[in-house]
Amino acid sequence: MLKTTTHVRALTTPDLPELFALLDRDPLVNLFVRNRVDATKLQTRWLGGQVWGYFEDGALVSACHAGANVVPVQATPAAVEAFADQAIADNVRPSSIVGPRDAVLPMWKRLEPHWGPARSPRLDQPFMVLERDSRLRPDPRVRPVVLDEFDTVYPACVAMFTEEVGVDPEAGNRSGYRARVAQLISQGWAFAIIEDGDVLFKAEVGAATPYACQIQGVYVRPDQRGRGIAAPALAAVVQQARASVAPIVTLYVNDHNIAARRAYERVGFEQTATFASILL
């Protein structure tokens, strides 16, 4: 019996058809990487890293986005080990490892002696999907943010990021974070309730393909929490995102964030997979 030959290498433009076929095996879970590949066509200067492929007998079996975030794609146990070894060999230093829990946790086990300890391990994150408009009445105050409102919305983005991730997004690369927020607004991917110059609620589409989009940055101003704002507001975001971005809406949430999970369930989101994130 012949032994299977395996190798890992950076994928390039000629690999796109095979990579697209791999990503399309689970277009919702693989949405972030598909978004990055669609936007960059694997050009390193735009990708800000590489996408590695794990091959068995010349066939692409698994992939891994290796940039600011390490994100495994359809990663078999053998591929997980190979990608971890590649990350060590290449001295990759991402800000996080994110993706399906059954790939992220064994990858982190192999990487932790080299990269650890984790700043914030999030080992159980329900991945949730909604394929229709919510049955909740959407909050009519929610609307797309316009670029002239950047200075109004930006502090809420910083506050949300700091609260959720545990670091100030302006600390390392202020101009980069400002540019990212401005990009989301310009794309029509930022939504908010703004009253009297204050942001009461906001959320963004962080990534999208023609098939689906992913919500991120859900934020309710602290003095407005507990008043039932989040679910109807998010119902409005879902309705508008489905109309203007993609027909299926996804998100993932920390298991311990009970209030957020209940709000998402009220909107109609259902868990279809489990993610994990290792923040470094």
Side-chain angles (χ1 to χ4, degrees), residues 21-160:
L22 183 70
L23 292 164
D24 287 347
R25 292 183 191 174
D26 196 334
L28 300 183
V29 165
N30 298 328
L31 187 153
F32 170 80
V33 177
R34 179 61 192 254
N35 173 253
R36 296 291 295 140
V37 173
D38 284 346
T40 66
K41 300 298 186 289
L42 297 177
Q43 298 297 313
T44 303
R45 60 177 177 167
W46 305 119
L47 189 60
Q50 296 179 324
V51 174
W52 298 325
Y54 174 78
F55 293 82
E56 292 183 352
D57 294 334
L60 180 64
V61 171
S62 305
C64 185
H65 178 277
N69 305 298
V70 167
V71 185
V73 173
Q74 305 296 120
T76 65
V80 165
E81 291 193 9
F83 291 143
D85 290 344
Q86 188 71 38
I88 294 166
D90 286 2
N91 197 31
V92 173
R93 297 300 299 185
S95 61
S96 67
I97 308 171
V98 181
R101 182 173 63 177
D102 59 1
V104 168
L105 297 190
M107 180 178 286
W108 176 238
K109 183 177 181 180
R110 196 169 183 91
L111 289 169
E112 186 175 13
H114 303 272
W115 290 1
R119 179 174 58 80
S120 178
R122 301 175 180 196
L123 307 182
D124 187 350
Q125 296 178 304
F127 178 85
M128 309 183 80
V129 175
L130 184 55
E131 299 187 9
R132 53 170 173 77
D133 285 353
S134 174
R135 293 189 175 94
L136 287 182
R137 179 178 178 272
D139 190 320
R141 299 175 297 172
V142 174
R143 58 174 177 78
V145 178
V146 298
L147 201 53
D148 286 349
E149 295 171 314
F150 175 89
D151 290 335
T152 299
V153 172
Y154 184 72
C157 296
V158 172
M160 180 285 305

Side-chain angles (χ1 to χ4, degrees), residues 4 12 21 66 86 93 98-99 114 126 133 153 191 220 227 240 269:
T4 299
T12 58
Q86 188 71 38
R93 297 300 299 185
V98 181
H114 303 272
D133 285 353
V153 172
F191 304 88
V220 176
R227 301 185 180 185
Q240 294 177 42
F269 283 92

Side-chain angles (χ1 to χ4, degrees), residues 206-229:
T209 68
Y211 186 69
C213 62
Q214 185 169 290
I215 298 294
Q216 67 173 31
V218 178
Y219 173 84
V220 176
R221 201 174 72 189
D223 67 338
Q224 297 294 311
R225 295 174 187 175
R227 301 185 180 185
I229 290 176

